[in-house]
Amino acid sequence: MTRDPDRFDPIEAVALLEEPTRKRLYDVVVGSRQAVGRDEAAESLRISRELAAFHLDRLVEAGLLETEFRRRGGRSGPGAGRPAKLYRRAAREVAVSLPPRSYDVAAEVMATAFDRLAGTPAVDALTSVARERGAAAGRIARRKAGPRHGRHRLRAGLMEVLQRAGYEPDVDVANGTVTLRNCPFDALVAGHRQLTCGMNLAWAQGVVEGLGDSTATLELAPEPGRCCVLVHDVPHTSSPSRQEEPKTTLI
């Protein structure tokens, strides 16, 4: 029986993730920078390809994953074989609230109001609050790191804060840059990019301040499919006598 693509039940979709193997496969796909094939997913969990395909296709049917067909390794033409079926996270946003709530509608109304007040003390207050909230989260992570909070422990604390906040941080091991693969406020970005990116940046500034991480450089570099903020890793050369303002580049 084929599911009606226009009928989407978020409760049914979320319930599918209760099955442990299916949830782990979903995490493998979501955690990958690129679309994932069946063989790769099966190998990650050390299960059969058939079992991986079954669960992955159930997640597609539920609207949690999407598929694409592409030849791996850039091969094309005769003899290149059939395109592989690859899986990636669906663009659809899944939210369940019992009883029903419409916080997204409230956020849209507020964002529209703030956009109309651009450059006013009200907008300054918004970014100030975002920075305060980030600083509070950073201070908590710093306390958890303990009194001997070296550079690597501070960076681990930063990653934990970003992960818990839903940003899905991903580190480029070559240069230490942290890319935030998800924007928790993505529903607002299309109509209110400047406001949303400013709020993300202010929050991230607060986090690194709260952590006392003077090696982090924040860059505002919006691109489709991820959060607008990048966190660059600057080599620590000396111990500053006071906490420095995080360097910020606006693009």
Side-chain angles (χ1 to χ4, degrees):
M1 180 178 176
T2 303
R3 182 187 297 269
D4 182 352
D6 295 326
R7 179 183 173 273
F8 177 74
D9 188 330
I11 296 179
E12 289 183 10
V14 172
L16 281 177
L17 298 177
E18 184 179 7
E19 205 285 324
T21 300
R22 195 172 297 148
K23 174 62 167 60
R24 291 170 62 203
L25 282 168
Y26 178 78
D27 290 340
V28 168
V29 175
V30 170
S32 175
R33 298 180 182 181
Q34 300 178 342
V36 176
R38 291 172 170 177
D39 291 332
E40 180 183 352
E43 184 178 350
S44 296
L45 269 62
R46 297 186 177 181
I47 60 176
S48 70
R49 185 180 188 275
E50 292 72 19
L51 182 59
F54 169 76
H55 285 304
L56 289 168
D57 287 337
R58 286 293 305 276
L59 292 169
V60 171
E61 184 183 358
L64 294 174
L65 298 180
E66 296 175 352
T67 60
E68 62 181 72
F69 291 86
R70 176 164 39 89
R71 288 187 174 91
R72 310 300 295 266
R75 300 171 58 191
S76 60
R82 298 174 57 186
K85 186 175 185 179
L86 307 177
Y87 299 82
R88 63 177 184 272
R89 175 165 51 190
R92 180 196 302 272
E93 185 174 309
V94 181
V96 177
S97 177
L98 299 173
R101 297 288 186 260
S102 298
Y103 300 116
D104 56 335
V105 176
E108 172 66 29
V109 171
M110 292 177 188
T112 300
F114 277 118
D115 274 342
R116 294 178 183 178
L117 295 171
T120 69
V123 178
D124 293 340
L126 174 66
T127 55
S128 177
V129 170
R131 193 162 183 160
E132 290 172 5
R133 295 294 178 89
R139 286 192 295 270
I140 292 173
R142 186 176 186 177
R143 287 196 295 269
K144 289 177 63 178
R148 300 181 63 182
H149 43 269
R151 177 186 175 201
H152 295 294
R153 296 190 72 177
L154 287 178
R155 192 49 50 92
L158 174 63
M159 296 294 287
E160 180 182 353
V161 173
L162 293 171
Q163 186 66 45
R164 289 174 63 87
Y167 285 92
E168 297 183 3
D170 183 55
V171 182
D172 186 333
V173 295
N175 56 27
T177 295
V178 180
T179 300
L180 308 181
R181 298 177 58 246
N182 181 58
C183 175
F185 314 111
D186 186 67
L188 295 176
V189 171
H192 311 280
R193 178 174 293 279
Q194 184 174 356
L195 183 73
T196 306
C197 290
M199 184 168 61
N200 276 321
L201 178 62
W203 183 84
Q205 287 173 329
V207 171
V208 296
E209 287 172 0
L211 278 165
D213 187 352
S214 60
T215 68
T217 300
L218 303 178
E219 179 184 2
L220 194 57
E223 283 189 12
R226 64 165 174 80
C227 176
C228 52
V229 177
L230 296 176
V231 184
H232 298 293
D233 190 24
V234 178
H236 185 67
T237 57
S238 62
S239 299
S241 58
R242 61 183 177 83
Q243 181 174 312
E244 298 178 356
E245 179 78 5
K247 302 178 182 68
T248 304
T249 303
L250 302 183
I251 294 182

